[in-house]
Amino acid sequence: MEIGAMFEQIPFAAELGIEFDEVADGHAEGRLPLREEHSSNPGGQIAHGGVTFSLADTVGGAAVVSKSESVSPTIDMRIDYLAPATADLRAVADVVRSGASVATVDIEVYDADDHHVASARGVYKTGGQGEATPWTDGTDVEPANGDEGQQSEE
């Protein structure tokens, strides 16, 4: 299964409406059509910070998986909100470092009018999953063994 399609099937991502346009070689682009229930303001449509964060985290994770080729859960993520998001969101993620155990990703989030609304940096686990984990339980993902799924330092 294509990575973007796999991430679109994550129940939370599907609930939010996250869709992918591109996922390959440590790069991912995704979007989220802004709906009324995503708003943090009862009197207007401004994306809740959690919606923006979730888009950034999901697109960042897809970028890592496209490089690590294994389950890569989030270890840490920080986000700077730069402007209110009042229209559909788009996130662009690039892996800036991929090592044997962690990857670092830069994610930029824009609205439909191309306003830069957030910048994020995520750190994701990339290796060492030699057995089933809560992230692989109930999925068709095979746990990595030995060196599978591990990346060399770049």
Side-chain angles (χ1 to χ4, degrees):
M1 175 181 287
E2 192 260 334
I3 294 169
M6 180 181 70
F7 270 75
E8 288 173 356
Q9 291 183 11
I10 294 170
F12 185 67
E15 176 69 22
L16 287 175
I18 295 172
E19 302 168 351
F20 284 85
D21 298 317
E22 182 180 339
V23 181
D25 302 321
H27 175 81
E29 295 184 21
R31 57 193 151 78
L32 186 148
L34 197 58
R35 301 188 311 245
E36 183 179 342
E37 59 268 26
H38 295 148
S39 185
S40 64
N41 183 345
Q45 187 145 338
I46 299 173
H48 186 282
V51 171
T52 305
F53 186 97
S54 295
L55 174 64
D57 184 33
T58 303
V59 174
V64 172
V65 170
S66 76
K67 190 139 179 106
S68 72
E69 298 179 349
S70 68
V71 175
S72 299
T74 309
I75 295 172
D76 186 39
M77 189 161 168
R78 63 156 285 130
I79 191 165
D80 294 320
Y81 298 99
L82 307 173
T86 59
D88 294 350
L89 298 174
R90 174 178 59 89
V92 178
D94 288 293
V95 175
V96 294
R97 185 173 189 288
S98 184
S101 60
V102 298
T104 303
V105 182
D106 284 342
I107 308 115
E108 304 301 333
V109 182
Y110 304 90
D111 69 11
D113 298 322
D114 217 28
H115 297 119
H116 194 189
V117 298
S119 287
R121 174 160 277 193
V123 180
Y124 299 80
K125 180 84 173 110
T126 59
Q129 300 100 345
E131 57 191 51
T133 71
W135 293 280
T136 58
D137 287 349
T139 70
D140 60 2
V141 175
E142 300 272 336
N145 56 26
D147 292 331
E148 289 179 31
Q150 296 202 9
Q151 298 290 314
S152 61
E153 300 291 326
E154 291 184 356

